[in-house]
Every structure is written in C-alpha cells, then in structure tokens.
Amino acid sequence: MAAAVAAGKWSLGACQLGDGGSQRAVRSSAARPHFVEGSIVRVLMENFLTYDTCEVRPGPNLNMIVGANGTGKSSIVCAICLGLAGKPSFIGRADKVGLFVKQGCLKGVVEVELAKTPDNIIITREIQVVNNTSTWFINRKPTTLKTVEEQIAALNIQVDNLCQFLPQDRVGEFAKLSKIELLEATEKSVGPPEMYQFHCELKNFREKERELENLFRDKTNSLEKMKQRLERYKQDVERYHERKRHLDLIEMLERKRPWVEYENVRQQHEEVKQSRDQAKEELKSLKEMQLPVKKKIQETEEYFKSLDTKIRDKAAEIKDISRKCKQKQDALEMKDKQIEEIHQALRMKKDEEMDRQVKIHNTQKMIEEWKNELSTMAVSANLQPQTDAVNNELKKLQEERANIDSDISDLTAEKMSKKRQEKRITDRLGQLNNIMNMKEENLKGKFRDTHSALMWLRNNKDKFKKKVCEPMMLEMRGHQKLKVNAVCAPAESCAESLPSRPIEELHRYGFFSYLRELFDAPHPVMSYLCSQYHVHDVPVGTEKTRIMMERVIQETKLRQIYTAEEKYIVKVSAYTNLTFSTNTSLREAQFLTSSVDTYERRQLENDQRDINNTLKSLDMHLTTLFERQKHLEHRDNELRQQKKELLERGNRRRQLESKICVKSDSLRQLEEDAINLEEEYQQANVKIKEINTQKARLVTELMHDIKNCISLNILKADLVLQSTTVAAEKNRLESECNEGSVQLRAAEQRFCELDERKRLLTENCKELLKKAQQICKLSPDQRLPKEFQTAFQALPTTLEEIDAFLNEEKTRASCFTGLNASVVEEYNKQIEEIQQLTEYLEEKKKELDNYKQNISQVKERWLNPLKKLIEQINGKFSKFFSSMQCVGEVDLHVENEEEYDKYGIRIRVKFHRSTELRELTPYHQSGGEKSVSTMLYLMALQELNRCPFRVVDEINQGMDPMNERRVFEMVVKTACKESTSQYFFITPKLLQNLTYNDKMTVLFVYNGPFMLEANKWNLKSFCRRRRRLGRMDEQ
C-alpha cells in the first residue's frame, strides 16, 4: 500500500491525539485545491466517541477513509452528520445526542468548516451530557439550531437523504426504500431545487382537487335531494295554507262564541232580577200577616207554663205523702218479721231440748259399753322390759345412722371439691389444647402432608415399638402415600450435655444464656437438637454482644452466636487459617409464636388421672354407705312398730278409764243444761202482744196519709185537664202559624235562590265579558271594534249554530294533520339553502377548474424535467451495469397519471444472463447485489448531483472482490471528474493493485497503545526520514 501511495506521488502525514488518530495523505502540489461550495473543508472532534481531539482535512473530490474496524472511521461520519444539524436517528446508532460524547466526559465538541465564497462557514456544536442538549455556533458566534438549519439548507446539504448521506448502520435501508421514497430522495439530491417543490405542489393540488371533486359531488347530490324535498314541502305548504284558513275561521267563531254566551247570560240576569223583586214584595206581606198569631201563641204558652208549675207542685206533695205511706208500710213489715223471729227462736229452743235428751241417752249408752269392756279386760302383764330392750336397740341404731350421715356428708364435700379441681384442670387443658390446635392449623396450612402424617401417627401409635415425638417422625410410605422428613434421636442421649464453658465466663461479652435454656422440648427431641445443632453450646447475647462482635469472635473462638436480631457464623479458612464471619438477620417467628408448657400439661394430665381415680373410690365408698343407711332405716322402722304395739297394749286400760271419766263429766253437764219450755212460751207471747199494739198505731197513721194523697191526686188531675185544653189551643195556633211560616220560608227560600242566582249571573256576566274581551284582546273599557262586529254579522247568531259550525271547521282542520308553521319556514329555508348551495357549487366549480389548470401547468413543468433526469440516471446506471457485464435500468413508475403521490423510481437489475430483469427489493437480491446496485445508483447520481458532498459508509462489505474492484474503479473515475461534488467513501479494507487518481485523498485511521502524542507529531521529519530510507535502499 505504501508503494502504491508513493507511486502516486503521495506523502503520508499523521495526527494522533488520545485514544484515536488519523493519517491524511497530502498532495505535494502547493496549489490550493478547489472546493465546491458547501463541501467539507475541515472536521474537528473533541471528546467525541473514541476521540479526545482529532482534526480531519478532506480533499475536494474523492476521499477514501480507511481503517480497521473499531478505529473510528464511522465516528468521522457521525461527526459530519451531527455537526451539520443532523439527528441521532439519521445515523441509526443512538437516540440521544449525549451518548456520542466520549465516556467519562461531560461535554463534546464537533466543528465542521464548509466551503463558501467569499469566506468559509465554521459550524460548531457543543454537546452537553447532563441534560442532553446542544449549543450552536456559526463562525465562533452563538446562534440557534434554526439558523444553522437555514444555512445548511441554503447550501443544499441533506444529511437525512440516503441518496446523499448513507451511514454504515443505514446501508441496508436504501434497498428498503419504496419507489415513492426513492423518487423523493432523488429529487432532493440531483433534481433542480424547484423539482421537489413542484412535486409537492402537484400532490397538494391533487389532494385539493380530490377533496373539491368529492365535495362537488356530495354537494350536487345534496342539491338534488333538497330539490326533491322542496317538491314534497310545496304540497305540504298548500295544505298548510288551506288549514290556516280553517283555523282563522275557527278562531273568529271562538271569538264570537263568548260574546253570544255573554248576551244570553245578560238577558237571563235581567229576567232573574225582575223575579227577585216580586219575591221580595210577597215576603214582606207574609211577615205582616204572621204578627197577631204569634202574639196569641205567646200568651197561651205563658198560661200553659203557670199550669205546669202548679201540677209539678201538687206532684211534689203527692210524692212526699207517698214516701210517708211507704215508710209506714215498711215499719209494719218489720213488725211482722219481729213476730216471726220470736216464733223461730221458740222453735229452736224446743229443738235444742230434744237434741240434749238424745245426747244424754247416747252418752249413757257409751259409758255403759266402756264399763262392760273394762270389767271384762284382764290385768295385763308387765311390758316394761320389752319396751326398754326396744329403746336400747333404737338408740344404738340412731347413733350408727348419725355416723353414716356424717361420713356421707364428708365424702360428698370431698367429691364436690375434687370435681371443682377437675373442672379447673379441664379448663386449663382446653386452653393448652387451643394453643396446640392453633399450631396444628398453622402446620396444616404450610405443610399439609406433615399434618396428615401427624394425624395418622396419633391414630396408629400402637404400631410403633418406641415413642415417636410430634411432629418429627420417620419417612413413612403407607397407604396414604405421604412423604415427610423424619429424624432419629441419638441412641445415647445428648439432652443433658454440658456446654464447653460455663455461661458465667461469657457474661462480660453480653451473653446471658445458651440456646437450649430458652425453650422446652421432649427429651428425644432435645437430645437430637443437642447432637445435631449443639444448641447446648450456642450462646445468646444482647445488644452489647452485637456492638463488640469483633472482639467476641477473636477472644471466645465461638463458631455460632445469636443476638436479638442476628445470627453469626464464624469459620476458619482451611488454606489461609484466617477467621471470617457471616451474619444474617433472624426471620420473624413462624411456628413457635404460640408455645405450650409441656411440663405443665403433663402435670395437669397426671393430676386429672389422680382425681378421676379418687372420684371412683369415693363413689364406691358412698354406694356402700347408702346401702348400709337403707338397711338401718328399715330396721329402725321395724323397732318403732314393735315399740308402738307394746305401748298400745299398756295404754288401753288407762285410755278406757280416762274416756269413762270424761264422758261422765259430759253427761253431768248435759243434765245441768236443761231448758224450761213453758217459761219460754210465756215470754214469747208477751213480746208478740207488745208488737201487735205498735202495728195498730201504724195502720191508723197509714190510713190518714192515704186519704190526703187521694185528695191531692184529684186536684192534680183537674190541673192536668186544664193544661191539656191550653196545650190543644196552643197547638192549634202553632199549626196555623206553622202554615204561615211554611209559606214565609218558601217565600224566603225563593227570594234567596233568586238573589243567589242573580249574584251568580252577575259574576258569570263579568267573567264572560272579561273572557270575551281577552279573546278579542280588548281592554276592560274598550268597546268591540267595527271589524269584529262586521265579521261577527256573517257568522251564526246562536250558540248551537256556532258550536255546530265550529265542530265542522275543526273536523276539516283536523284532516290536515302533521302540519305546522315550521313547514312554511322549512320550505322557505329550503329555497334559500338551494340558492346558496347553487352559488356555492358555482364557486367550487370555478375553484376546481383553477386547480385543474394549475395541475396541468405544474405537471408540465415537473414531469418533463423529471423524465429527462430519470433518462440521464438510467443512461449512466445502465452504462455502469454494462461495464460489469450486467443489466440495470431505472424508469419512472406510474400507476395512475393523476395520482402524483404514487409516482416512484423503479430500479431493475439482472446480474446473471439466465435471469430476467427484477425490481431491486430487500428480498430478491443478495446482500452483495444490493450493495452493488446501491453504489452504482449513487454513482449515477454523482455527475448529476447538485449536493456539495456525498457520504457512503462501508457499502462494499457484501461485495465479492471482482465487483468490489469494478465498483471502486467506477467510483474513482466518476468522483474524480471536474466539477463533481465531494465524495466520502469509508471502508475497512482495500484490494491490492487498485486504480488511483491524483485527485483522490486517502485518510488512514489508526488506533492503538503505541500511537504518538499530538505534540510529537511532525509530518516534515517523517517525510525526510522516508526519503533517507529510500536512498539507503537504492544503494
């Protein structure tokens, strides 16, 4: 490669700063090269991607940037894109500009100098990493992104156009461009400035034309529909006017009707007023005729009242005398009762004497019988020894029963005490069982198989030879197919193993106990834990232990330590003998949150068994005592019966003697209580005689009172007759007066009715007049206008005729249903809208014609130059393909001449003679064929291009050596012509013996740890050394 460069009269220069550097081939000619306006003169990068500081000065024609992968070739492409206001998405590497700053730096700088007359433009972009922003400068002066974009657009630089700027990461996208996108990119790249503008105008004009055509078509259809609706509305309007005439006539009839009603009611009011005045005169004459009769009735009523008063007085006197007579009669009846009571008392004395005689006889007979029994009764033997023996046995029996009762009471009290104690134990066991149930439920929720195995164990403990502690058990595979972990306790118990040192030695480190002392467990479980986990030798410390943990580990040499919150495990390395520890936080308690005191539970169960045994023994003893008590009670009853019989045998004689004595006393008393009946008879006669004398005096007084009562009744009867005569006269007068009153009330009622009717008619007249005025919209003091009077004359005059005519008109009007004033409004509105729409369509027709004319003009100005441009591209593209013994064509693809947004450029290629021309797509061609097609299309654009430079990054990667050589020669030949734009060709490698041109510039990019620093780079010394080495080689 060096030889090739030397042969081409190139000298090598290099610049290397930081991690990356570049070498630039410089022409020996001192003449300043000519740059097309807008081409790149210089690129400066600071803290950008792989570069600390690097400046690149490309040539005006073809620039070959060569370097191994990863040296920073594409970084130069990124710098050009971002420095010329390109977006990160154009490059396809990252989405944020801050990611292009070198790692570890906060700011990066990209500076691009563009050729322009009279002075070049220097665009600087400072990229901030912190907030992902950029600061822009033009010629070292701050500016805005918009100003930079305007300057770049003025120079026709399009870094977002793949036909001008094709980065490495977007090479594959060129083949994916649609025909439409390729046309637009080509127009922007090589077409005149106005070509793409004309194309956009055509698309906009066509879009507007389509919109106007659709609008014109829709509005025309709407106009036809509106005209059809107008015809329908016309018939409805005619029917509406016909209905309006009927409604106007109905309105006039409804206006006249209240006036006719008012006139009819007013006439009725006048007639009723005359009738009311006549009734008023009749009422006045009837009232004058009633006055004498009422006066006579009043006098008769006063005389009747005086007679009634006299009758009431006589009735009071008669009542008083009758009351006295009644008292006398009651007194006589009382005397009769007294006489009867005397006779009754006498009869009772007689009966009493007879009963006394019967009792005396019976008593004498009873005494005689007892004396006979006493005389026949022999003297009884001495029964005292037998009675004493029975009493002694009864006394012993009672003492024994008392002892048994005392024993039963004591045993019962003791039994109740044991039952209370048993209840307390049962309650406490229930509490402990509840805790166990909670633990079992917790076990069931977390380890269902273990819980099922636990239930099976409890039901099958008899199948094990030794004790199995819950819930630890051997792995069982029974019919339940449960699988749980189980362990065996050590054969030799370790539960009582002593710790390696007493806990007192560890108190100074904050330890207070060993782990074994902090919980209880069955002896086999504790033995296993001590054997397996050495819980007897694991100390538990406090916060003090945690604070001085390093000292504890160094001094105590403990292997496992617990504190309140952490667990420490200390290990010694087997290789270095160094001690290291790990600590883990203790988890929250899960299974031992509810603990059960097993010692207490066993003690309670033992106590419960002892109490149950004691209760059984007490029940047996009580049963024996109850049976003995029952036997003694039976024997007691037998002894008492014997004692009773003995006592009865000894007391019978004394009882008979006592009874005879008592009855003899009773007999003497009866004989002393004898009654004198003669004397009783005499006393009764004296009392009866005295009572009869009193009765005679009462009868005399009673006869006198009866005579007075009779005379008073006669006087009262006379007064009653007089009162009856007066009442009859009064009734006759009242009857006559009532007849007059009936006529008077009838006259009053008729007058009131007529007066009320007159009042109602007056109010009705006012209401009807007000209603009629309101219907005609008249004020209260306004008379009926002439036009209403004239209109009313042509209408019927009676209510019946008006109602009939009104019903007829309403019936006619009701035939016109569904019509209202909106029909006329809608009709007029439709006429107005049709007129407006017609005018609108005329305007849109003119506008559409204008658009069609504009489209025709712009199309002619756009399509003809476009066809010529595509013909030129096709000529060059076909020529390039022909030189490679392949076929390639470029044409304008048109689906519909009027659809300008569907126009596109179609590239068709053929790389083998046996195949047909096929359109370039992402799928039909291979990667190398797509690269060749893309490169040749870009070369075809090169001579036609109006853009100042073009960048192609590593497009030759998929080409075979033959195609790569051919393409390279075409690139050199095309890009090194006069008046062509600047060209950047980036590649990691070059084939040997390639053809070069004097106008080429080759930039070598190196990267490595032995690169020279920037201040040691001296291009002239490098050239002198190279010439000296050349001379030495010649010698």
Side-chain angles (χ1 to χ4, degrees):
M1 186 64 186
V5 172
K9 298 181 181 179
W10 293 86
S11 61
L12 294 177
C15 175
Q16 182 268 334
L17 291 176
D19 294 333
S22 69
Q23 291 184 349
R24 181 171 65 92
V26 184
R27 291 189 62 194
S28 60
S29 175
R32 182 178 178 182
H34 173 69
F35 285 88
V36 177
E37 187 167 302
S39 58
I40 299 173
V41 178
R42 179 176 59 87
V43 179
L44 174 66
M45 296 168 285
E46 293 182 1
N47 297 329
F48 186 81
L49 290 176
T50 60
Y51 296 102
D52 288 340
T53 302
C54 180
E55 187 178 70
V56 179
R57 292 183 177 272
N61 297 104
L62 176 61
N63 292 275
M64 302 291 295
I65 302 177
V66 184
N69 290 329
T71 55
K73 305 184 301 300
S74 297
S75 299
I76 300 173
V77 178
C78 296
I80 294 172
C81 179
L82 297 178
L84 297 177
K87 299 179 181 178
S89 59
F90 296 165
I91 305 170
R93 282 198 172 190
D95 57 346
K96 294 181 181 179
V97 70
L99 298 175
F100 289 88
V101 177
K102 186 174 182 180
Q103 189 173 4
C105 299
L106 298 178
K107 183 178 77 171
V109 178
V110 175
E111 187 173 277
V112 180
E113 183 177 349
L114 301 175
K116 188 177 180 182
T117 55
D119 297 320
N120 292 348
I121 298 176
I122 300 175
I123 299 174
T124 307
R125 181 175 189 174
E126 291 184 358
I127 304 170
Q128 306 293 335
V129 176
V130 177
N131 49 8
N132 198 46
T133 58
S134 299
T135 307
W136 295 91
F137 300 89
I138 295 180
N139 296 330
R140 307 289 192 273
K141 295 180 180 180
T143 186
T144 61
L145 174 61
K146 185 176 180 182
T147 305
V148 174
E149 289 175 344
E150 291 173 353
Q151 290 283 349
I152 292 171
L155 295 173
N156 198 28
I157 297 174
Q158 305 168 16
V159 294
D160 60 338
N161 189 342
L162 295 182
C163 290
Q164 178 179 347
F165 197 92
L166 191 61
Q168 175 184 353
D169 296 306
R170 298 190 66 188
V171 170
E173 291 185 17
F174 185 87
K176 297 179 182 177
L177 288 177
S178 66
K179 295 185 283 291
I180 299 170
E181 292 172 339
L182 183 59
L183 174 61
E184 292 180 354
T186 303
E187 286 177 334
K188 293 177 184 178
S189 179
V190 299
E194 66 275 5
M195 179 177 286
Y196 181 69
Q197 182 180 354
F198 286 156
H199 190 188
C200 292
E201 288 181 1
L202 275 175
K203 289 190 286 186
N204 292 333
F205 285 157
R206 178 54 186 161
E207 184 66 26
K208 290 288 186 181
E209 183 186 22
R210 277 199 298 267
E211 291 178 1
L212 285 172
E213 287 176 348
N214 293 334
L215 180 63
F216 188 81
R217 183 169 56 255
D218 294 341
K219 293 298 182 182
T220 304
N221 295 334
S222 299
L223 182 61
E224 289 299 322
K225 291 179 181 178
M226 291 172 67
K227 288 180 179 179
Q228 294 173 5
R229 280 200 302 271
L230 187 65
E231 287 299 321
R232 293 196 300 271
Y233 285 149
K234 186 176 181 181
Q235 298 176 3
D236 292 341
V237 168
E238 292 175 356
R239 294 175 66 242
Y240 173 76
H241 288 305
E242 180 67 21
R243 180 173 176 271
K244 185 71 167 57
R245 286 193 294 273
H246 291 294
L247 293 177
D248 292 341
L249 184 57
I250 290 170
E251 183 180 2
M252 192 56 66
L253 286 168
E254 289 177 345
R255 285 179 175 176
K256 182 176 181 180
R257 193 179 189 286
W259 288 101
V260 175
E261 287 181 344
Y262 166 71
E263 187 61 28
N264 292 340
V265 174
R266 190 186 64 77
Q267 292 177 3
Q268 292 178 11
H269 175 268
E270 293 298 328
E271 295 174 358
V272 170
K273 183 178 179 184
Q274 293 177 2
S275 300
R276 191 203 67 160
D277 294 340
Q278 294 176 1
K280 186 176 181 181
E281 293 296 329
E282 292 177 0
L283 180 63
K284 184 178 180 183
S285 63
L286 287 173
K287 286 183 178 179
E288 291 176 352
M289 291 171 62
Q290 284 286 95
L291 290 176
V293 177
K294 287 185 177 180
K295 185 176 180 182
K296 193 171 182 179
I297 289 173
Q298 186 177 2
E299 293 174 352
T300 305
E301 187 172 359
E302 289 177 356
Y303 181 61
F304 178 78
K305 287 181 179 178
S306 64
L307 289 174
D308 188 57
T309 302
K310 293 178 181 179
I311 291 170
R312 283 198 297 273
D313 293 341
K314 293 299 180 182
E317 292 179 5
I318 292 170
K319 185 177 179 182
D320 185 49
I321 294 173
S322 297
R323 181 177 55 77
K324 292 179 179 179
C325 291
K326 183 68 169 61
Q327 291 177 353
K328 298 286 192 300
Q329 288 176 354
D330 293 339
L332 287 172
E333 290 177 358
M334 183 61 67
K335 296 300 180 181
D336 291 337
K337 288 182 179 180
Q338 289 178 358
I339 293 171
E340 181 62 30
E341 287 176 356
I342 292 170
H343 287 300
Q344 182 67 26
L346 188 59
R347 285 194 296 273
M348 288 176 65
K349 291 289 184 180
K350 185 177 180 182
D351 293 338
E352 185 178 351
E353 178 62 20
M354 291 176 65
D355 290 338
R356 188 182 66 81
Q357 294 294 334
V358 171
K359 288 181 179 179
I360 289 171
H361 175 71
N362 291 333
T363 302
Q364 289 175 351
K365 184 177 180 181
M366 189 178 295
I367 291 171
E368 188 68 26
E369 290 176 355
W370 285 342
K371 286 181 177 179
N372 293 332
E373 183 181 357
L374 185 62
S375 61
T376 59
M377 183 180 292
V379 179
S380 62
N382 188 8
L383 301 175
Q384 191 60 36
Q386 298 179 15
T387 303
D388 292 340
V390 171
N391 287 333
N392 291 332
E393 189 175 355
L394 279 172
K395 185 176 180 181
K396 292 178 181 179
L397 196 64
Q398 289 173 356
E399 289 177 356
E400 186 176 357
R401 286 183 66 186
N403 293 332
I404 290 174
D405 290 340
S406 176
D407 293 341
I408 290 173
S409 177
D410 293 341
L411 291 175
T412 303
E414 184 179 358
K415 182 179 178 181
M416 295 301 295
S417 175
K418 292 296 182 182
K419 283 188 175 181
R420 287 192 294 269
Q421 187 175 356
E422 182 189 25
K423 186 176 184 305
R424 287 195 298 270
I425 293 172
T426 304
D427 293 341
R428 179 56 182 164
L429 284 173
Q431 295 175 0
L432 296 177
N433 287 331
N434 287 336
I435 297 174
M436 289 299 295
N437 291 336
M438 290 170 59
K439 294 177 72 175
E440 289 178 13
E441 288 298 323
N442 192 10
L443 179 65
K444 182 179 180 180
K446 295 183 180 293
F447 309 105
R448 183 171 294 276
D449 278 359
T450 304
H451 180 267
S452 300
L454 176 63
M455 296 297 104
W456 182 89
L457 171 65
R458 290 180 179 175
N459 296 326
N460 297 274
K461 282 190 176 182
D462 55 333
K463 297 180 180 180
F464 293 90
K465 295 180 179 180
K466 294 185 179 181
K467 181 180 180 182
V468 180
C469 297
E470 299 177 357
M472 304 179 69
M473 58 196 309
L474 292 172
E475 181 173 322
M476 294 176 294
R477 295 181 180 271
H479 63 279
Q480 296 187 15
K481 297 184 179 180
L482 301 176
K483 189 171 183 180
V484 297
N485 292 328
V487 294
C488 293
E492 184 178 350
S493 176
C494 300
E496 304 300 331
S497 300
L498 296 176
S500 59
R501 71 193 79 183
I503 192 62
E504 290 77 10
E505 294 182 8
L506 302 176
H507 282 171
R508 57 196 178 99
Y509 300 111
F511 294 104
F512 63 91
S513 175
Y514 283 104
L515 196 60
R516 180 178 60 184
E517 277 69 38
L518 299 181
F519 64 92
D520 291 329
H523 192 275
V525 176
M526 185 64 77
S527 176
Y528 172 78
L529 293 175
C530 291
S531 173
Q532 185 70 21
Y533 299 105
H534 305 286
V535 295
H536 64 287
D537 204 23
V538 177
V540 181
T542 59
E543 183 66 18
K544 176 182 177 181
T545 308
R546 191 185 66 79
I547 295 172
M548 55 189 306
M549 185 54 66
E550 292 184 2
R551 180 183 168 191
V552 171
I553 293 172
Q554 293 175 0
E555 296 180 0
T556 61
K557 307 299 182 183
L558 293 169
R559 292 293 177 262
Q560 193 171 358
I561 301 169
Y562 278 86
T563 63
E565 297 178 353
E566 293 178 327
K567 170 187 176 183
Y568 294 84
I569 297 176
V570 182
K571 295 182 180 180
V572 179
S573 174
Y575 302 99
T576 62
N577 205 27
L578 294 176
T579 302
F580 60 93
S581 64
T582 59
N583 64 309
T584 56
S585 297
L586 296 180
R587 292 181 297 177
E588 293 291 332
Q590 298 181 11
F591 306 110
L592 299 179
T593 52
S594 301
S595 61
V596 178
D597 190 341
T598 54
Y599 175 77
E600 181 187 1
R601 183 174 180 179
R602 287 195 298 270
Q603 187 64 37
L604 290 172
E605 290 175 349
N606 292 333
D607 293 344
Q608 189 178 35
R609 283 194 296 271
D610 293 342
I611 290 172
N612 288 333
N613 294 332
T614 303
L615 287 173
K616 290 180 181 178
S617 176
L618 290 173
D619 289 337
M620 293 174 62
H621 197 181
L622 283 172
T623 302
T624 304
L625 290 175
F626 283 136
E627 291 177 355
R628 180 60 181 169
Q629 187 183 37
K630 185 176 180 182
H631 174 72
L632 292 176
E633 185 176 354
H634 180 68
R635 180 57 181 163
D636 182 81
N637 291 334
E638 291 179 351
L639 292 174
R640 290 183 181 277
Q641 185 64 29
Q642 291 179 8
K643 181 180 178 181
K644 181 179 179 182
E645 291 176 355
L646 291 173
L647 290 175
E648 286 179 354
R649 286 170 59 189
N651 293 332
R652 180 60 180 168
R653 183 177 183 84
R654 287 192 296 273
Q655 288 176 357
L656 289 174
E657 292 175 351
S658 175
K659 287 180 179 180
I660 291 170
C661 181
V662 171
K663 286 298 180 180
S664 298
D665 293 338
S666 176
L667 181 60
R668 284 193 300 272
Q669 186 64 37
L670 288 172
E671 290 175 350
E672 290 176 359
D673 291 338
I675 298 173
N676 190 354
L677 293 176
E678 187 64 30
E679 185 178 351
E680 293 294 333
Y681 281 132
Q682 291 177 1
Q683 291 178 0
N685 289 332
V686 170
K687 290 179 181 179
I688 290 171
K689 185 177 181 181
E690 184 178 355
I691 290 171
N692 286 331
T693 302
Q694 294 174 1
K695 283 177 64 179
R697 186 172 61 253
L698 289 172
V699 169
T700 302
E701 294 174 357
L702 177 62
M703 293 302 295
H704 178 69
D705 290 337
I706 289 173
K707 289 178 180 179
N708 290 337
C709 183
I710 290 171
S711 61
L712 289 173
N713 279 322
I714 292 171
L715 292 175
K716 178 184 176 184
D718 186 41
L719 290 172
V720 169
L721 289 174
Q722 293 179 21
S723 174
T724 303
T725 303
V726 173
E729 181 65 18
K730 176 186 173 186
N731 291 335
R732 185 183 65 77
L733 293 173
E734 286 179 349
S735 177
E736 293 177 359
C737 183
N738 287 336
E739 290 176 0
S741 297
V742 170
Q743 295 178 0
L744 182 62
R745 283 195 298 274
E748 286 179 348
Q749 184 176 0
R750 185 166 179 272
F751 172 76
C752 291
E753 289 176 353
L754 291 172
D755 188 61
E756 179 66 17
R757 188 178 177 193
K758 174 181 172 297
R759 184 183 66 78
L760 293 174
L761 287 172
T762 302
E763 293 178 357
N764 198 7
C765 283
K766 291 179 180 179
E767 292 292 331
L768 290 173
L769 178 60
K770 183 178 179 181
K771 180 180 178 182
Q773 290 173 342
Q774 287 178 350
I775 291 176
C776 296
K777 299 180 180 178
L778 302 175
S779 59
D781 54 350
Q782 187 178 359
R783 296 179 61 82
L784 189 65
K786 291 286 186 180
E787 59 269 19
F788 283 149
Q789 294 180 10
T790 304
F792 287 170
Q793 288 177 359
L795 299 174
T797 56
T798 64
L799 286 176
E800 291 78 7
E801 293 175 349
I802 289 173
D803 289 340
F805 197 13
L806 190 60
N807 290 331
E808 182 180 353
E809 290 299 318
K810 286 182 177 180
T811 302
R812 290 177 179 178
S814 63
C815 295
F816 301 93
T817 57
L819 300 175
N820 50 39
S822 62
V823 175
V824 180
E825 294 177 1
E826 187 67 26
Y827 180 77
N828 297 330
K829 183 179 178 182
Q830 287 290 325
I831 292 176
E832 184 178 354
E833 289 180 355
I834 289 172
Q835 185 177 358
Q836 292 176 355
L837 186 57
T838 304
E839 295 174 357
Y840 179 78
L841 286 173
E842 291 177 357
E843 293 177 1
K844 293 300 176 183
K845 185 68 169 62
K846 293 178 181 178
E847 187 177 351
L848 182 60
D849 293 338
N850 291 335
Y851 270 109
K852 288 183 177 180
Q853 185 177 359
N854 292 335
I855 288 173
S856 177
Q857 295 174 358
V858 175
K859 180 179 180 181
E860 184 177 356
R861 297 169 64 186
W862 169 74
L863 189 57
N864 292 333
L866 177 63
K867 288 181 178 178
K868 292 180 181 179
L869 178 64
I870 293 176
E871 287 177 1
Q872 294 175 0
I873 296 172
N874 181 47
K876 295 183 178 299
F877 187 76
S878 299
K879 181 180 178 182
F880 290 148
F881 262 83
S882 297
S883 65
M884 296 176 61
Q885 288 79 41
C886 299
V887 180
E889 291 182 0
V890 177
D891 60 0
L892 182 64
H893 179 74
V894 181
E895 293 180 359
N896 186 348
E897 290 187 1
E898 302 299 325
E899 300 296 332
Y900 304 106
D901 55 344
K902 302 293 178 62
Y903 277 62
I905 289 179
R906 179 175 60 180
I907 300 175
R908 296 190 297 166
V909 295
K910 183 175 78 168
F911 288 90
H912 307 286
R913 293 181 179 180
S914 60
T915 60
E916 299 292 332
L917 278 172
R918 304 192 70 171
E919 185 176 343
L920 181 64
T921 64
Y923 315 107
H924 291 158
Q925 289 78 21
S926 65
E929 291 173 346
K930 286 187 285 187
S931 298
V932 170
S933 302
T934 302
M935 194 67 189
L936 294 182
Y937 184 80
L938 295 178
M939 294 307 303
L941 300 181
Q942 179 67 18
E943 294 183 6
L944 304 173
N945 198 1
R946 62 183 181 86
C947 61
F949 66 88
R950 176 174 284 105
V951 177
V952 179
D953 190 0
E954 297 191 17
I955 198 170
N956 58 335
Q957 289 303 297
M959 299 182 189
D960 57 73
M962 181 180 296
N963 286 332
E964 184 178 354
R965 185 177 298 277
R966 291 174 179 175
V967 170
F968 182 81
E969 291 175 355
M970 292 180 192
V971 170
V972 172
K973 183 178 179 180
T974 305
C976 293
K977 290 181 179 181
E978 293 293 335
S979 70
T980 59
S981 58
Q982 193 178 33
Y983 201 100
F984 289 89
F985 188 88
I986 294 91
T987 179
K989 62 182 178 61
L990 288 174
L991 299 175
Q992 295 181 357
N993 301 320
L994 292 174
T995 301
Y996 294 93
N997 191 291
D998 291 344
K999 294 181 180 181
M1000 288 176 59
T1001 301
V1002 181
L1003 301 170
F1004 292 96
V1005 182
Y1006 293 102
N1007 192 356
F1010 303 108
M1011 296 294 293
L1012 289 175
E1013 297 179 2
N1015 55 5
K1016 296 181 181 180
W1017 186 269
N1018 191 329
L1019 182 60
K1020 292 181 179 180
S1021 64
F1022 292 158
C1023 293
R1024 286 195 300 269
R1025 184 181 179 187
R1026 183 70 187 91
R1027 285 194 293 270
R1028 187 168 61 252
L1029 291 174
R1031 286 193 297 269
M1032 291 175 63
D1033 292 338
E1034 290 176 357
Q1035 294 176 359

